[in-house]
Amino acid sequence: MEAVRLSVLDRSRTREGHTHPEALRDTVRLARELEGLGYHRIWVSEHHGVPGVAGSAPTVLAAAVASATRTIRVGTGGVMLPNHRPLVVAEQFGVLESLFPGRIDMGLGRSVGFTDGVRKALGRDKGDAEDFEAQLRELLGWFRGASPTGVHARPAEGLTVPPFVLAMGEGAGIAARLGLPLVIGDLRDRDRIRRGIDRYREHFRPSAWAPHPYVVVSGTVAVAATPEEARRLLIPEAWSMAYSRTHGTFPPLPPAERVEALTLTGKERDLYEAGLAGHIAGTEEQVAHDLGTLLKETGAQEVLVTTSTFDREALLDSYRRLAAIAPGLTITSG
């Protein structure tokens, strides 16, 4: 038996009545707390033009997080590769790895802008995501000195920054073909997760980056003294998701009590209730049981927790409680 690693993706969600700079500083403060609790990694994300997310420059934020911590691994969940030239991404991670050796992860996704306006501002369109595998191969090549142009990526060339593929659509197959670790979610669609993991393991080709399949399952996990308190942690994000589906914009997180006082339309109510369902939430005992079931079903080596909520103190308490049950979470080796 071996211990399961627990990690966190913090998306620097903005909150009603708070600023974008506060959200970024919240992420840095959280990283320090997570390090003290023994979490394996903290990752940050890339979103552009989203009112409810401050994290638009993940490698910059990762540098701030790494500067404020000493031992926890720091990375991106992820850099959206179609938005960037692979050379520039390699250079950025080369700088991070040079400054914080042995602590940097390179999580990579294939999404392009949230809206048509964002994609236009980035000079990208949806079709750019179709070139993700080629872009990923080029990016990895810069670390190995493989360039048809004779250009060398400084200081990335010769360094090893662990790459992870965020599975979306064809992501699991790409990770398998390139022999890279896989990050897959969300927990509300277990059948899709299992199919993706099975496909990944079946077609995995060992590489210099990963000799064996490595699976990270990601999703929302909330732990509190009572099931009701845990559920309240889910309310702000569930409402924001419902609002985005009905109004076309993703807003800052509201307090749970404001959401509970709202009068919702039928469609909003359906989306809101769907947003509350399927996550892992409850007391320590309940969450330990549910995570144990998830790990048995998937054989994952790591859980990446992606919880967002308005109450940052309650969120930190959830992470404390989750860390306390971590020693009991194991998987069967191999």
Side-chain angles (χ1 to χ4, degrees):
M1 304 293 289
E2 63 182 71
V4 171
R5 291 169 168 169
L6 288 182
S7 300
V8 170
L9 167 66
D10 192 79
R11 287 178 290 155
S12 304
R13 291 286 273 113
T14 55
R15 298 176 291 154
E16 286 186 359
H18 298 265
T19 65
H20 285 83
E22 283 181 275
L24 296 171
R25 291 192 290 268
D26 283 344
T27 295
V28 175
R29 280 193 292 268
L30 178 63
R32 295 194 194 100
E33 297 283 355
L34 294 173
E35 181 174 71
L37 292 170
Y39 281 81
H40 185 59
R41 337 174 187 268
I42 178 168
W43 282 2
V44 297
S45 62
E46 176 182 347
H47 296 274
H48 299 284
V50 182
V53 183
S56 57
T59 54
V60 177
L61 183 53
V65 169
S67 294
T69 55
R70 295 179 56 252
T71 58
I72 193 169
R73 296 194 65 87
V74 179
T76 57
V79 165
M80 296 299 116
L81 194 51
N83 291 338
H84 312 277
R85 293 301 308 164
L87 169 62
V88 175
V89 176
E91 290 170 336
Q92 290 172 346
F93 279 98
V95 169
L96 285 170
E97 176 64 20
S98 298
L99 293 172
F100 310 101
R103 291 180 57 206
I104 301 300
D105 300 321
M106 186 168 57
L108 304 159
R110 66 190 295 269
S111 293
V112 290
F114 186 65
T115 64
D116 288 339
V118 170
R119 288 189 289 271
K120 183 176 180 181
L122 292 170
R124 299 292 187 268
D125 59 43
K126 290 182 178 180
D128 288 308
E130 302 306 314
D131 295 328
F132 177 64
E133 183 170 354
Q135 295 162 348
L136 187 50
R137 289 180 183 276
E138 180 184 341
L139 171 61
L140 299 178
W142 288 114
F143 287 92
R144 295 294 182 253
S147 168
T149 66
V151 174
H152 297 272
R154 310 294 189 195
E157 188 173 313
L159 299 179
T160 298
V161 182
F164 295 74
V165 175
L166 278 60
M168 301 176 66
E170 293 301 310
I174 293 172
R177 287 192 292 275
L178 272 61
L180 303 178
L182 174 73
V183 183
I184 189 166
D186 66 46
L187 301 181
R188 292 175 295 179
D189 192 345
R190 301 292 179 86
D191 288 340
R192 187 188 67 82
I193 287 178
R194 285 192 293 267
R195 289 194 302 271
I197 292 173
D198 289 345
R199 186 167 64 251
Y200 168 70
R201 290 197 175 111
E202 179 183 356
H203 297 287
F204 183 85
R205 300 174 183 173
S207 73
W209 301 99
H212 307 287
Y214 188 89
V215 174
V216 183
V217 289
S218 67
T220 296
V221 180
V223 196
T226 67
E228 293 75 22
E229 290 178 51
R231 184 181 182 277
R232 282 179 64 81
L233 285 170
L234 308 178
I235 288 174
E237 182 80 0
W239 180 85
S240 291
M241 289 296 295
Y243 187 92
S244 72
R245 297 286 181 84
T246 53
H247 293 78
T249 184
F250 200 64
L253 296 172
E257 54 269 24
R258 188 175 81 74
V259 176
E260 291 171 324
L262 292 173
T263 300
L264 304 180
T265 66
K267 182 176 182 180
E268 287 172 336
R269 174 64 61 181
D270 289 344
L271 289 168
Y272 170 64
E273 293 293 343
L276 290 172
H279 306 292
I280 293 180
T283 64
E284 286 94 327
E285 183 178 1
Q286 290 170 321
V287 168
H289 176 271
D290 291 347
L291 280 176
T293 299
L294 172 70
L295 295 168
K296 183 177 180 180
E297 291 175 351
T298 63
Q301 291 98 328
E302 188 170 340
V303 177
L304 180 69
V305 182
T306 63
T307 310
S308 296
T309 195
F310 179 87
D311 189 337
R312 296 292 293 192
E313 284 304 314
L315 179 62
L316 180 56
D317 181 66
S318 176
Y319 284 133
R320 290 192 188 107
R321 293 173 183 271
L322 182 57
I325 66 176
L329 301 173
T330 59
I331 60 170
T332 301
S333 180

